[in-house]
Amino acid sequence: MVSLRQLRYFLEVVDAGGFSAAAERLFVAQSALSRQISELERELQAVLLERSSKGVTLTPAGRTFVSEARRVLTDLDGSVALTRSVARGEQGTVRLAHSSSVPFAGALPAALHAHLQAHAGVSVDVSTLSSEQQQDEIEAGRVDLGLVRLPVLRPAPSIVCEVVARERLQLLVPAHHALAGKTSVSVAALAAEPFVSVPHRERGGLSYRVAQLCQQHGFFPRAAAATSRKATLVHLVAAGFGVAIVPESLGALAGAQVHRVALDDESASSEVALLHRRDAGALVRAVGDALRVAIGASTGRDA
């Protein structure tokens, strides 16, 4: 097996023009250097250097091998430099997933843009996944960072779930709804309303948190004729299917066909969490830090 030491020794002999000068440059005994070159030639089954009293001359095989050896070492040096840069958080791609209830809008993309401008070798691949999907993908190593709306059911021990913000919830109603003219309302007053988002028995997130809030007031949200656990629930409200309780950041994306009504209840809030593996590297942690600050700014309230 050809070793990297043999490649470096061979190139040093070629560049120095002989074994004696190369041995001095490498700070090794000439006999040891000669032995390494002989082993290299034996491994390749080819004579690379013709020795004479005037120095060494490359054979045809040697001329071919010298360019290949330089390419291998150059590629290796580049790989080493890239790996060290990634380890320092200076280069690489971070795979980021977010729940649809954590809108990737406003302060979040702005903060990410600023971070990437300051770190030219870093890129981010953004996708939308449910809280549980994010956890599975992060655990499998296919996603690096996740932004979720709590609660996350069945948390994985290998993943850090860090609460980064607490956000007020608000009611969304169609423009023609009887509550559209209200400035605030109690959750208890919504018991008879159809909700366009209801929880899935195996998923947490926003719909689960809303169900918890409703149950605190003695009822379970009644499903509308059309439901969604995604950001499309805003469009279902606009179309008149029913009402929804959402974070203020999601409500801010609603159009003129939807009215936002404050909730009187002090407990009407939800938490945003950042997910990452416990062994996440500097690159992932640096992007996570930028997002953490942005989420606090966008919600206006740190956890």
Side-chain angles (χ1 to χ4, degrees):
M1 180 70 69
V2 175
S3 69
L4 292 175
R5 175 187 293 178
Q6 289 170 340
L7 294 184
R8 291 194 172 96
Y9 280 12
F10 168 68
L11 291 177
E12 195 64 52
V13 171
V14 172
D15 293 340
F19 283 84
S20 178
E24 290 182 9
R25 291 185 184 184
L26 292 168
F27 300 101
V28 298
Q30 186 171 332
S31 58
L33 176 59
S34 181
R35 184 169 57 253
Q36 288 292 328
I37 299 302
S38 295
E39 290 179 1
L40 173 62
E41 291 177 320
R42 192 160 44 248
E43 182 68 31
L44 295 174
Q45 299 180 8
V47 176
L48 302 176
L49 299 168
E50 291 180 348
R51 290 81 164 169
S52 71
S53 59
K54 296 181 180 180
V56 296
T57 304
L58 286 168
T59 65
R63 285 194 294 272
T64 298
F65 189 70
V66 73
S67 58
E68 291 301 311
R70 292 194 197 281
R71 181 185 58 78
V72 168
L73 292 181
T74 298
D75 289 347
L76 177 62
D77 289 343
S79 298
V80 170
L82 177 60
T83 301
R84 288 172 176 168
S85 183
V86 170
R88 293 192 298 265
E90 297 171 350
Q91 286 195 61
T93 298
V94 174
R95 297 157 297 181
L96 168 67
H98 69 100
S99 301
S100 59
S101 61
V102 184
F104 202 74
L108 271 177
L112 188 58
H113 185 258
H115 181 78
L116 297 183
Q117 281 193 316
H119 301 80
V122 179
S123 62
V124 175
D125 179 44
V126 183
S127 59
T128 304
L129 295 172
S130 71
S131 301
E132 281 68 32
Q133 287 175 316
Q134 288 184 48
Q135 189 169 248
D136 292 343
E137 292 296 287
I138 292 173
E139 198 168 28
R142 292 186 290 267
V143 168
D144 301 304
L145 282 172
L147 288 172
V148 299
R149 184 76 55 177
L150 295 181
V152 174
L153 304 184
R154 300 179 299 280
S158 64
I159 295 176
V160 175
C161 180
E162 175 190 359
V163 178
V164 293
R166 186 171 292 107
E167 187 176 5
R168 287 293 299 171
L169 295 171
Q170 62 181 196
L171 176 69
L172 299 186
V173 299
H176 56 76
H177 196 279
L179 296 174
K182 297 282 188 179
T183 56
S184 66
V185 66
S186 169
V187 173
L190 306 176
E193 297 290 340
F195 280 71
V196 299
S197 180
V198 292
H200 187 283
R201 65 180 179 274
E202 295 182 357
R203 293 185 181 177
L206 177 62
S207 58
Y208 195 99
R209 172 66 188 118
V210 170
Q212 287 179 323
L213 186 62
C214 292
Q215 288 178 308
Q216 290 173 11
H217 292 82
F219 73 97
F220 191 85
R222 182 167 66 89
T227 61
S228 173
R229 285 180 295 276
K230 303 297 184 183
T232 50
L233 63 85
V234 175
H235 302 298
L236 294 179
V237 172
F241 282 101
V243 304
I245 293 177
V246 302
E248 291 179 340
S249 60
L250 184 55
L253 303 180
Q257 304 92 339
V258 174
H259 281 233
R260 295 176 286 274
V261 183
L263 294 173
D264 294 335
D265 311 77
E266 290 186 7
S267 60
S269 63
S270 71
E271 294 175 322
V272 177
L274 186 67
L275 304 182
H276 60 79
R277 290 180 61 90
R278 294 189 183 278
D279 58 358
L283 178 66
V284 173
R285 292 181 182 275
V287 173
D289 289 342
L291 295 176
R292 184 183 298 105
V293 172
I295 293 167
S298 63
T299 60
R301 296 181 64 181
D302 292 333

